[in-house]
Amino acid sequence: MSDAVWYHLNLCARGDVDDTVADAAIAVRDGRIAWLGAFAALPHEFASLPRHDLGGAWVTPGLVDCHTHLVYGGQRADEFAQRLAGASYEDIARAGGGIVSTVRATRAASEEDLLRQSAPRLEALLAEGVTAVEIKSGYGLDLDGERKMLRVARRLGERYPVAVHTTFLGAHALPPEFFGRSDDYISEVCDRMLPTLADEGLIDAVDVFCENIGFSLAQSERVFEAASRRGLPLKMHAEQLSNGGGARLAARWGALSADHLEWLDEEGVMAMRAAGTVAVLLPGAYYFIRETRVPPLDLLRRHGVPVALSTDSNPGTSPTTSLLLMLNMACTLFRMTVGEALAGVTRHAAQALGESRRHGCLEIGRDADFAVWGIDTLAELAYWSGRPLCRRVVRHGETVFLR
Ligand code: DI6
Ligand code: FE
């Protein structure tokens, strides 16, 4: 079927800009990488396979977008206009807009409708070389609504050649019917929604929005407890709008990642380092809400915390479907290096999903999932904005996107 040798390519197999092979080749058998290295060293056993000439293009692992909310109904362009007129993201949330307005639109949509609205967002990611994506729930905020979102996420993974990881984010916002009763809502999340949806096989990980407009440390901990009882990996939206100590809590519970982190302090960084918790930075949200406080990259570097980058694709704070634009923003706005940015959408992003052995790196025995780029140097991935750089996406050895 897809058995072939891909050659005449520059290889960046680990998403490491200092570890590349010029004039390389990748041999694929049964959808997996059978061999890779310098073309001149191609073992004889692969000599008879069909060959695909990539014309000197660069090849990286398929990119990983490890934090998205891309399944939702409607959009919030009006709210954007309100913010331009002076309202803050928090003002709008407190006035019943924000996340809750997307909850209304998502609840009102049928499953088919939600699938139709969400699919183009995934298609856009795929066309930029993304072969693995995380999709969160969190706009249903009741059992049926959350189930609908997670089912749509699963169906997207069946319909498109992208590995979809689902994250249950029932604790994203307080639904209006629980107004003034946030502890009761957390009970609903922990005692009913999470166990039911986990039993239905819809949950790969559990996340919570720990923030003063979200849920408290104590409430977040209850969610972690319920998820851990089920053996589900943990993630947290932490220190996005204030320094609430969420990252420390996430680390204490051995979370895969803590995400956003503009307000993260050194204690939080050290706790994350000790726990192996990945820092997921989301420059699209930083940019779109016109945040001015940048995440503490120097501290993250100094303590050796792996940093991932993601789109946070969502209608309120990051209405983007371009992971490459996030590389550009991470470099220009956060002063990350090109090498850090590329690691952030390959091996570190895979680690943030708990999937380091499956995604984010090309090596013998792994799925042949890679992106082919029409660039002369890897720095171009972060340099251009708005330019279609991805020429081809290969998943399990088959071309699934071609430009
Ligand atoms: N933080 C975010 O940036 C998104 N969710 C979250 O917890 C925003 C989601 C939205 O505004 O719709
Ligand atoms: Fe988010």
Side-chain angles (χ1 to χ4, degrees):
M1 39 171 266
S2 57
D3 295 4
V5 171
W6 301 81
Y7 75 109
H8 196 186
L9 60 95
N10 293 302
L11 182 62
C12 176
R14 300 172 187 282
D16 178 348
V17 292
D18 296 319
D19 177 10
T20 63
V21 183
D23 200 7
I26 302 173
V28 176
R29 269 206 178 121
D30 299 323
R32 289 171 190 272
I33 297 171
W35 182 86
L36 78 178
F39 181 59
L42 182 72
H44 186 70
E45 59 182 297
F46 304 113
S48 60
L49 291 181
R51 290 191 180 179
H52 302 301
D53 182 343
L54 289 179
W58 275 92
V59 169
T60 66
L63 304 187
V64 179
D65 194 354
C66 66
H67 177 143
T68 86
H69 309 246
L70 70 78
V71 171
Y72 58 84
Q75 42 79 15
R76 307 223 299 269
D78 289 348
E79 183 181 301
F80 176 51
Q82 274 171 267
R83 282 202 300 108
L84 293 175
S88 73
Y89 179 71
E90 282 152 300
D91 293 338
I92 292 168
R94 289 187 203 284
I99 294 177
V100 170
S101 80
T102 299
V103 171
R104 284 191 290 273
T106 302
R107 285 180 177 176
S110 68
E111 188 174 310
E112 291 304 321
D113 201 17
L114 209 50
L115 185 72
R116 218 172 7 251
Q117 291 189 57
S118 306
R121 297 190 273 267
L122 185 62
E123 287 169 13
L125 291 176
L126 173 64
E128 274 196 349
V130 171
T131 56
V133 63
E134 185 252 24
I135 300 178
K136 301 178 194 292
S137 69
Y139 291 120
L141 307 185
D142 59 18
L143 182 58
D144 288 346
E146 293 289 292
R147 176 189 285 123
K148 182 170 64 181
M149 290 186 70
L150 292 167
R151 283 177 49 92
V152 167
R154 284 274 189 254
R155 286 175 65 188
L156 286 169
E158 288 156 13
R159 179 173 295 195
Y160 289 93
V162 177
V164 170
H165 292 258
T166 60
T167 296
F168 173 62
L169 179 57
H172 190 197
L174 189 65
E177 60 275 20
F178 278 87
F179 184 77
R181 296 188 295 129
S182 57
D183 282 328
D184 292 346
Y185 179 62
I186 291 296
S187 299
E188 174 72 9
V189 165
C190 296
D191 301 342
R192 201 162 85 97
M193 291 157 68
L194 191 155
T196 307
L197 298 171
D199 284 345
E200 293 174 17
L202 290 170
I203 302 181
D204 298 330
V206 174
D207 192 351
V208 49
F209 185 28
C210 182
E211 189 57 65
N212 43 38
I213 59 163
F215 296 95
S216 68
L217 287 173
Q219 291 168 333
S220 301
E221 188 155 30
R222 287 178 61 199
V223 176
F224 280 179
E225 213 164 45
S228 296
R229 239 181 278 130
R230 295 261 160 175
L232 292 167
L234 310 174
K235 304 175 83 68
M236 182 187 270
H237 282 70
E239 340 298 11
Q240 180 185 7
L241 307 170
S242 60
N243 180 0
R248 251 174 295 148
L249 180 70
R252 184 146 58 74
W253 282 82
L256 288 174
S257 71
D259 304 32
H260 284 289
L261 303 176
E262 281 82 349
W263 292 79
L264 179 64
D265 60 17
E266 186 158 16
E267 224 182 301
V269 173
M270 283 162 50
M272 289 174 66
R273 166 66 206 194
T277 299
V278 176
V280 178
L281 304 186
L282 305 164
Y286 166 92
Y287 163 79
F288 193 73
I289 63 175
R290 297 163 68 206
E291 176 60 67
T292 52
R293 190 183 170 103
V294 295
L297 265 160
D298 285 343
L299 289 175
L300 292 165
R301 286 186 185 117
R302 194 176 321 142
H303 293 284
V305 175
V307 174
L309 281 179
S310 175
T311 58
D312 196 19
S313 183
N314 80 71
T317 61
S318 194
T320 180
T321 51
S322 173
L323 190 54
L324 289 184
L325 181 58
M326 300 306 110
L327 267 75
N328 178 274
M329 287 183 177
C331 295
T332 55
L333 302 175
F334 295 171
R335 294 278 164 230
M336 282 174 69
T337 65
V338 171
E340 288 170 336
L342 189 57
V345 294
T346 52
R347 54 187 200 279
H348 291 164
Q351 192 180 340
L353 293 182
E355 290 280 6
S356 289
R357 291 155 67 129
R358 241 181 101 204
H359 302 303
C361 179
L362 299 173
E363 58 185 32
I364 292 175
R366 291 194 184 216
D367 290 341
D369 293 356
F370 54 86
V372 180
W373 305 97
I375 53 176
D376 294 324
T377 84
L378 285 171
E380 286 180 77
L381 292 176
Y383 167 73
W384 300 106
S385 50
R387 212 175 136 161
L389 301 178
C390 186
R391 278 198 199 149
R392 183 193 292 262
V393 180
V394 173
R395 180 134 190 274
H396 298 166
E398 307 271 3
T399 295
V400 294
F401 171 81
L402 187 62
R403 184 181 340 253

